[in-house]
Amino acid sequence: MTKRKPSDAHEPVEAPDHLPKPVADVWREIVASNDLVGKVDRVALETYCTLTARLREARGRIEDEGMVVTDTRGKVIPHPALAVERSTAEQIRVWGDRFAPLVKPTRKSGYIADATARTITEAKHLHGARFAGPVAALKTLAWMIDEAQRDSMEALQKAMTTTVPQYLKACAELQVTPASIPGVGVPAAVPAEGDAPADESKPEGASVTDFQARARARRSG
């Protein structure tokens, strides 16, 4: 019995040799667009690729020969490939998004997201696969704060009571310095005996109102 190598889980899924070229081409397209590696239902993937290749062939014939053709009796009839196209499209639709190309979302640049990304890059203790999940979650929270600023005052006010506290908590758990968010402070350290008391004056832009005003200015600008 042949054992699979551990590296197989990270290798691309190669098309079987017995596949016709059109089907193999679809296989490679799907694997590349979905970053498929390692274990995958090859029978299901082969079936899906075969259907897709068949659909393309039917559409190609219709494009080359037209929507109607003449039968053996000289009668004009719909092209038989139309029925193949319709039937195959229905079968592919049943599969849903199982092997549909992934659409990777793009995120707008924002102050909180950019500052958080720089902080994470500088935090060497977060490098490695172990912290990939928590780091991704922190970046998402930072992006959500920026999106709230771009959206509306209502969204921003909601973020100040939900997303922002979650963001600060995640920063604390990952031991990174959070991006400066006006209106959101961190507990002040208790001064040691003999030290001068910390300046308790309110810094500029340290209220929720100031935060909202800045967000409004960014949107209008």
Side-chain angles (χ1 to χ4, degrees):
M1 180 177 178
T2 304
K3 294 184 178 180
R4 292 184 61 188
K5 298 179 181 179
S7 59
D8 289 350
H10 303 286
E11 294 178 355
V13 182
E14 297 294 339
D17 294 335
H18 67 270
L19 293 183
K21 185 179 183 305
V23 179
D25 289 342
V26 176
W27 179 294
R28 283 186 284 270
E29 290 176 17
I30 293 175
V31 169
S33 63
N34 286 276
D35 297 326
L36 293 180
V37 295
K39 188 175 181 180
V40 66
D41 188 340
R42 292 173 177 267
V43 174
L45 180 56
E46 181 176 339
T47 302
Y48 184 84
C49 293
T50 300
L51 290 171
T52 302
R54 186 176 301 162
L55 177 64
R56 293 179 179 179
E57 180 183 359
R59 288 176 174 173
R61 290 192 59 184
I62 295 170
E63 183 177 350
D64 293 340
E65 302 171 11
M67 300 284 288
V68 295
V69 293
T70 304
D71 64 9
T72 56
R73 298 180 180 180
K75 183 179 179 181
V76 176
I77 61 173
H79 199 302
L82 287 170
V84 176
E85 178 190 29
R86 182 169 54 254
S87 174
T88 306
E90 287 296 331
Q91 294 180 64
I92 292 176
R93 193 173 295 113
V94 171
W95 292 81
D97 298 329
R98 184 170 182 179
F99 294 112
L102 295 176
V103 178
K104 299 181 180 180
T106 56
R107 295 182 176 180
K108 296 180 180 179
S109 177
Y111 168 73
I112 303 298
D114 292 347
T116 301
R118 288 193 297 269
T119 299
I120 291 174
T121 300
E122 296 170 358
K124 296 182 179 180
H125 67 283
L126 296 180
H127 295 179
R130 177 184 176 186
F131 294 99
V135 165
L138 178 59
K139 288 182 176 180
T140 297
L141 290 170
W143 171 75
M144 290 172 64
I145 295 173
D146 285 328
E147 285 298 297
Q149 295 184 64
R150 282 189 280 259
D151 187 3
S152 64
M153 286 298 103
E154 182 180 356
L156 180 57
Q157 290 172 342
K158 183 177 180 180
M160 295 298 290
T161 59
T162 56
T163 310
V164 170
Q166 293 174 13
Y167 169 80
L168 294 175
K169 180 180 179 181
C171 287
E173 292 176 347
L174 292 177
Q175 299 180 0
V176 295
T177 303
S180 176
I181 305 177
V184 180
V186 294
V190 178
E193 185 177 354
D195 290 346
D199 183 6
E200 297 180 355
S201 60
K202 173 186 172 184
E204 182 182 357
S207 69
V208 174
T209 302
D210 293 333
F211 191 26
Q212 294 171 344
R214 291 187 180 186
R216 188 184 300 108
R218 278 193 289 271
R219 285 194 298 274
S220 61

